[in-house]
């Protein structure tokens, strides 16, 4: 945060606290008595007059206590721009402390399964209950609570895997993450509109859905130049590169002419965040077993 905004926030916060205190003081000072009275303020609102009575003492002192508490809080905790507070508290430090407590409490439970092979672990009911909770907390926001994915996020319950669904590959994916990149117009940045139409029809022809057979026939050459380096000459993909199989009915971004054209024209970029460093090795072992169990 810049110095200007730090000062600006500090002035607003402290101004509000001291403004409340001044309002209480000025109002109290203007009172002619400390007890209830029949005297009015001299104004009439639709025939209703307002009594000139002071605030109840308990109410007044409660407001004062609130101002004192606010100043004490602002001295101890961050709330005034870049000021860190006397206690040095941060949300990140508190989160780390809570995670350390959780690791100390539950670490032994995770460690019990850490050395068990993924395929064997996938058949352990206790481990899978733990894996389900780990999945819900770390993966469900993208892949869905049931792991069936959504537009742009892979379905983990089928047998169609971008990088492979064997235990070792799943572990690698969880530990290191994945960065997928489909370049716009593949390896032919100068692809024309006609060539785009041709290659889209050619891709659709893999599943007998080409809109224009003549364009699909011409698209074979375009595909060979722009797409085969990743997806292979037969369009069956390459798991080593994360290039999807184009000949089946599993599509990450939709399989209609319009969706495929959008992908060819603008490309796609996906990122699966690495869980290594966020989760312990034992937790990742259990999570990998749960993901493995979804399609096995």
């Amino acid at each position: 945060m810049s110095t200007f905004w730090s000062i600006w926030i500090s002035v607003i916060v402290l101004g509000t606290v001291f403004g409340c205190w001044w309002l209480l003081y000025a109002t109290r000072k203007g009172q002619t008595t400390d007890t209830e009275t029949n005297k009015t303020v001299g104004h009439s609102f639709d025939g209703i007059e307002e009594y000139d009575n002071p605030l109840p003492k308990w109410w007044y002192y409660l407001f004062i206590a609130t101002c004192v508490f606010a100043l004490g809080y602002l001295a101890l905790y961050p709330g005034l721009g870049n000021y860190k507070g006397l206690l040095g508290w941060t949300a990140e430090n508190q989160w780390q402390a809570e995670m350390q407590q959780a690791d100390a409490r539950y670490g032994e439970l995770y460690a019990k399964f850490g050395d068990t092979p993924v395929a064997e672990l996938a058949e352990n009911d206790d481990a899978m209950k733990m894996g389900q909770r780990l999945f819900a907390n770390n993966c469900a926001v993208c892949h869905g609570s049931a792991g069936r994915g959504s537009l742009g996020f892979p379905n983990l319950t089928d047998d169609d895997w971008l990088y492979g669904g064997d235990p070792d590959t799943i572990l690698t994916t969880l530990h290191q993450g994945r960065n997928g990149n489909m370049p716009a117009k593949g390896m032919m940045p100068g692809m024309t509109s006609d060539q785009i139409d041709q290659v889209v029809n050619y891709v659709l022809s893999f599943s007998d859905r080409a809109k224009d057979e003549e364009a699909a026939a011409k698209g074979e050459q375009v595909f060979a130049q722009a797409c085969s380096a990743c997806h292979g000459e037969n369009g069956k993909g390459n798991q080593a590169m994360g290039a999807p199989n184009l000949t089946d009915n599993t599509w990450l971004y939709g399989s209609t002419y319009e969706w495929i054209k959008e992908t060819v024209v603008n490309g796609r970029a996906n990122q699966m965040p690495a869980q290594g460093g966020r989760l312990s090795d034992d937790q990742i072992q259990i999570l990998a077993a749960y993901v493995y169990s979804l399609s096995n």
Side-chain angles (χ1 to χ4, degrees):
M1 183 185 301
S2 68
T3 303
F4 169 80
W5 287 113
S6 177
I7 295 174
W8 177 259
I9 292 172
S10 300
V11 169
I12 291 178
V13 173
L14 292 175
T16 300
V17 175
F18 285 109
C20 290
W21 176 83
W22 175 84
L23 182 62
L24 288 169
Y25 174 78
T27 303
R28 186 77 172 180
K29 185 178 181 180
Q31 298 289 339
T32 58
T33 177
D34 289 337
T35 60
E36 291 188 6
T37 177
N38 292 327
K39 183 179 179 181
T40 66
V41 296
H43 302 289
S44 178
F45 306 94
D46 294 332
I48 300 174
E49 292 186 304
E50 180 182 353
Y51 285 111
D52 187 19
N53 287 326
L55 286 173
K57 287 186 177 181
W58 68 270
W59 201 356
Y60 172 78
Y61 290 124
L62 184 61
F63 278 130
I64 294 296
T66 301
C67 292
V68 173
F69 173 82
L71 292 174
Y73 179 91
L74 292 171
L76 296 174
Y77 295 95
L80 299 174
N82 292 327
Y83 175 65
K84 303 297 184 181
L86 297 176
L87 297 180
W89 178 91
T90 65
E92 182 180 356
N93 290 340
Q94 180 172 336
W95 177 82
Q96 290 177 346
E98 291 175 354
M99 289 301 297
Q100 290 174 355
Q101 292 177 1
D103 290 340
R105 182 175 180 181
Y106 301 111
E108 293 182 3
L109 296 176
Y110 293 126
K112 184 172 62 174
F113 302 109
D115 295 328
T116 306
V118 168
E120 181 181 339
L121 204 56
E123 299 178 359
N124 186 303
D125 291 339
D126 291 336
M128 290 303 91
K129 290 177 181 178
M130 298 171 69
Q132 185 179 28
R133 295 186 183 96
L134 287 169
F135 185 90
N137 290 332
N138 298 279
C139 314
V141 66
C142 294
H143 295 284
S145 58
R148 296 188 180 277
S150 61
L151 187 68
F153 300 100
N155 182 352
L156 304 178
T157 65
D158 57 20
D159 59 356
D160 194 289
W161 293 81
L162 289 174
Y163 292 92
D166 60 279
D168 289 339
T169 302
I170 294 175
L171 282 169
T172 300
T173 298
L174 289 174
H175 276 287
Q176 301 177 5
R178 299 290 186 182
N179 289 295
N181 182 36
M182 156 72 185
K185 300 180 181 180
M187 305 301 291
M188 286 182 61
M191 190 184 297
T192 65
S193 297
D194 288 341
Q195 289 173 322
I196 292 171
D197 176 69
Q198 292 165 4
V199 76
V200 171
N201 274 286
Y202 179 69
V203 170
L204 286 170
S205 72
F206 291 147
S207 51
D208 298 323
R209 294 183 298 118
K211 289 187 174 184
D212 186 333
E213 295 294 341
E214 183 179 350
K218 295 179 180 178
E220 182 176 4
Q221 182 178 356
V222 180
F223 185 89
Q225 294 176 335
C227 315
S228 62
C230 296
H231 295 282
E233 294 181 1
N234 54 8
K236 291 188 177 296
N238 184 348
Q239 289 186 341
M241 302 177 65
N245 183 352
L246 306 178
T247 66
D248 57 18
N249 291 321
T250 303
W251 293 82
L252 197 58
Y253 287 98
S255 60
T256 65
Y257 177 93
E258 290 74 18
W259 275 112
I260 297 175
K261 181 178 179 180
E262 173 75 14
T263 299
V264 172
V265 172
N266 297 315
R268 300 290 183 185
N270 275 18
Q271 182 182 39
M272 156 70 189
Q275 302 302 307
R278 295 186 65 253
L279 301 176
S280 68
D281 290 345
D282 295 333
Q283 289 174 316
I284 291 178
Q285 188 79 3
I286 297 171
L287 181 57
Y290 178 76
V291 171
Y292 178 79
S293 74
L294 293 176
S295 60
N296 290 272

